[in-house]
Amino acid sequence: MHYLTCFYLAAMLLCLTAHATTDFKRENISLSKLNTPPVIDGYIENKEWHGSRVIEQFVEFRPNFGTKPIYPIKAKIAYDDAFFYVAAKITQPQNTITDRVLTQGDRMWDEDYFGITLDTNFDKRDAYLFHVTPSGVKEDGLIDGTHYIGQWNTIWYAKTQRTQNGWSVEMAIPMQSISFDPNKNDWGLQLRHKLSKPYKQVYWNINDPQNAGWTAPQVAKISNLKGLSQGVGIELKTGLSFKDTQTESKWTPSIDAFYKFTPNLTGVLTVNTDFSGTDVDEVNINMTRFSQFFAEKRDFFLQDSQVFSFGDFNNNDYNGMPFYSRKIGQGTKNGVLDIDWGGKLTGQLGNTSFGILSVNQEKDGEISETTQLSVARVKHQLGDKHQVGAIITNGSADGRKNTKLYGVDYRFESNIFNDQQIRTHAWYQETQKQYSQQDTKAYGLQLTLPNDKVYIRTKYRYLGEDFNPALGFVNRNGINYYELVSHYRERPKTSSLSEYINYYQINYFYYQRSDVNNNWLSKRYVVRPMRIEMKDATAFHFQYEVRKERLKQHYALGKTIGFDADNYRFGQWTAYLETPTDQTVFGNLSITTGEFYNSDRKQVLAEVNYKPNKHVLLQLSRRHHYYSQSEIKENMYSTRFKANVAFNSEWSWNTLLQHNTRADNLSIFSRLRYQSAPDELYQLSINKGYSLEDGWHEKRTVFDEKTIKLNYINRW
């Protein structure tokens, strides 16, 4: 690693050791079971909530840690056999409430909201997240340590009311919707209130001021949860869809059956699985030589998906991931493949969590046949600091043999330097060899100091030339990979800057890829001397980047621009601006100028949102790349337009148009959605795609699907 990088890292560590913290850890709260459940209507009646525990100790976490919230919060928590209950009354003037989302499932992070993190095993590793806006729009997700999986969803209930003095919320989370160990009476809980204007994050409990308050390690203990019931433990999610495509039109029934053998052990069976109601991917123009990664969105695979996480791989760090669920139901030859049936078993026994998944699907290239795809994962907690695990995958979309993968991983978490958090991950994988001389191994080591003031992440990975997991994700193998990501952040509290600035920070990034013999292939240095976030949430930064690239073969970037095999060194400047999201018009703009290999490049990435009220959101984004090489010039761009219309809290209409000149394609997706209750959903969608290789007037339809879908959920 470069000498300047090592010097910078040492200086950051000195800053870390000199920093002391103050925290707000709450004492254990013992709960009493309610005899009569409260009515979940948003009106917090004292009689209904008699016997609940009242919480009024909240503290501002960001931007001014430790100060008293500007608006008082009075929360209540309780439980009975079948539900966990939360209520909150926020006292604030009506004209200060930001509440512009109406459709369930829409992005609500830019609004005001109240919510919880719930750790049902109190291991501070995995948790559930539930949040509600003043209009009653809900957000739920899984927390894998400090990673958020927002695509997950379940059945739960929440109602809100606006009052003269602010707003109130009541939440009921069914025991059937979560997993827990009935022998453990202690859970973990975090309560959170977020203001959009002025920007404020307020929490009940803070274990570590240097880390995000919503994460699993930040929960406080709540105890005495006894006699919980999940009923019979059966859930049936039935579906019926009508698909009209270029090749056929048919009605297709589907069913997902869930059974809780114990409150912490869940089995799932899916038959004739239908994913037609899943959101389409938002695809940006890919200006690299490597394949893109897309997050999982299908409910069957998202259920308990944190169990299958490995080695700290996630949706933002995926090269070498041993299990990538989107490989299931996809093929390079036939595209989307039908799934006949699938089974999953997930749970936790003591300090051991595990997951087993197996799916039978059409065989890519020979869809008249089927193939079986399977994965098994286990993780065991050794005390508070150590976790060991293993993973095995087997099968491939095209049914080829010798596709097994074996992997082991280790995680360590503790505190150093005045209670600063440290996390390390180490892992090893190997895929089955076709020939004895193949290099099919991969391994990695990662050290992270995930703190607010001083953040450092260092990483090393080796991916063998023949490491290619059939059910994983690899877009570049045959490499040694080195990484350093860091920032030094200050949150002014006493100077005049504290009136205008949330924080300012300095970033340094270093990335290097070498071949298996450690001959460098690429190096990238990024210095961001200043990033500032203002009190109104305006953020801007500028940075300078230097890259060294060694091309071993010709790289055709566009139709006319290309780069010969050679060694290159080039640099570029970037300026970025993001405006507050609580305005009617908001967005972001990034401008990059400089060299790209032996060409000149200008890159403009822009997004504009128009949100006049909670019924309408219009978004237009453009990613434009200009290249000039000698006398050759070429422009490539992608355009995306979104129109989300919420007629009311039950009816919505979403449309997405995407155009990409590098891939020469155009796609249109439009869906009318009606959800009368959490357990009923009706959808009508149109999904069309065109190839523009021969021009707009000669566009060719590559897919055309019209779908009607009905879903019902029943529980016993």
Side-chain angles (χ1 to χ4, degrees), residues 495-524:
S495 66
S496 59
L497 292 177
S498 63
E499 299 179 16
Y500 307 101
I501 295 177
N502 280 341
Y503 69 80
Y504 54 88
Q505 72 182 36
I506 301 170
N507 294 79
Y508 177 72
F509 310 93
Y510 174 79
Y511 309 92
Q512 178 177 325
R513 293 173 177 85
S514 303
D515 62 22
V516 293
N517 297 316
N518 236 9
N519 300 308
W520 72 271
L521 299 172
S522 67
K523 297 181 181 181
R524 183 180 173 210

Side-chain angles (χ1 to χ4, degrees), residues 289-456:
R289 294 169 285 155
F290 311 105
S291 57
Q292 290 178 289
F293 179 94
F294 299 101
E296 181 60 82
K297 298 181 178 181
R298 300 169 295 179
D299 290 342
F300 174 74
F301 297 107
L302 287 169
Q303 187 262 335
D304 285 343
S305 59
Q306 80 279 11
V307 174
F308 296 92
S309 64
F310 178 93
D312 207 39
F313 288 97
N314 57 73
N315 290 346
N316 298 311
D317 182 16
Y318 37 75
N319 189 30
M321 181 182 289
F323 175 58
Y324 175 48
S325 58
R326 287 196 58 157
K327 282 287 187 75
I328 299 175
Q330 297 283 334
T332 57
K333 299 177 183 177
N334 291 92
V336 177
L337 301 169
D338 285 341
I339 293 177
D340 297 322
W341 61 267
K344 182 192 289 189
L345 180 67
T346 58
Q348 183 161 335
L349 300 175
N351 292 326
T352 303
S353 60
F354 62 90
I356 302 170
L357 184 151
S358 188
V359 169
N360 182 270
Q361 68 173 40
E362 290 180 332
K363 184 177 178 180
D364 191 29
E366 300 179 37
I367 58 175
S368 59
E369 301 180 15
T370 63
T371 184
Q372 198 75 22
L373 312 178
S374 304
V375 58
R377 173 72 164 134
V378 63
K379 295 186 281 189
H380 181 72
Q381 194 69 34
L382 299 170
D384 295 331
K385 299 180 180 180
H386 308 273
Q387 184 186 87
V388 294
I391 191 170
I392 299 174
T393 72
N394 185 39
S396 67
D398 59 6
R400 68 183 186 275
K401 298 180 179 179
N402 300 321
T403 56
K404 291 185 176 65
L405 173 142
Y406 308 90
V408 293
D409 64 338
Y410 167 76
R411 181 171 70 179
F412 171 80
E413 294 189 16
S414 187
N415 292 319
I416 59 172
F417 301 147
N418 297 320
D419 294 330
Q420 303 300 291
Q421 190 178 11
I422 180 173
R423 293 200 303 264
T424 61
H425 291 81
W427 53 267
Y428 178 88
Q429 302 177 56
E430 187 165 340
T431 54
Q432 197 169 0
K433 294 182 178 181
Q434 303 280 347
Y435 311 102
S436 59
Q437 67 271 27
Q438 286 185 312
D439 181 9
T440 61
K441 62 182 178 294
Y443 46 85
L445 179 65
Q446 178 176 317
L447 170 67
T448 307
L449 302 173
N451 304 291
D452 181 66
K453 188 179 186 72
V454 177
Y455 179 97
I456 300 173

Side-chain angles (χ1 to χ4, degrees), residues 41-42 88 90 92-94 96-102 104 108-115 131-139 158-163 166-170 193-196 614 649:
D41 56 8
I90 297 99
Q92 68 178 106
Q94 284 293 320
T96 67
I97 297 175
T98 301
D99 180 26
R100 303 168 304 159
V101 174
L102 191 59
Q104 300 294 339
M108 45 77 74
W109 298 118
D110 298 327
E111 314 304 301
D112 287 7
Y113 53 78
F114 180 87
H131 283 62
V132 188
T133 71
S135 285
V137 174
K138 302 183 297 182
E139 168 75 15
K159 291 292 184 180
T160 60
Q161 294 292 337
R162 299 284 283 269
T163 66
W167 66 285
S168 59
V169 56
E170 291 182 315
H193 177 225
K194 185 258 184 179
L195 282 171
S196 180
K614 65 176 63 179
S649 60

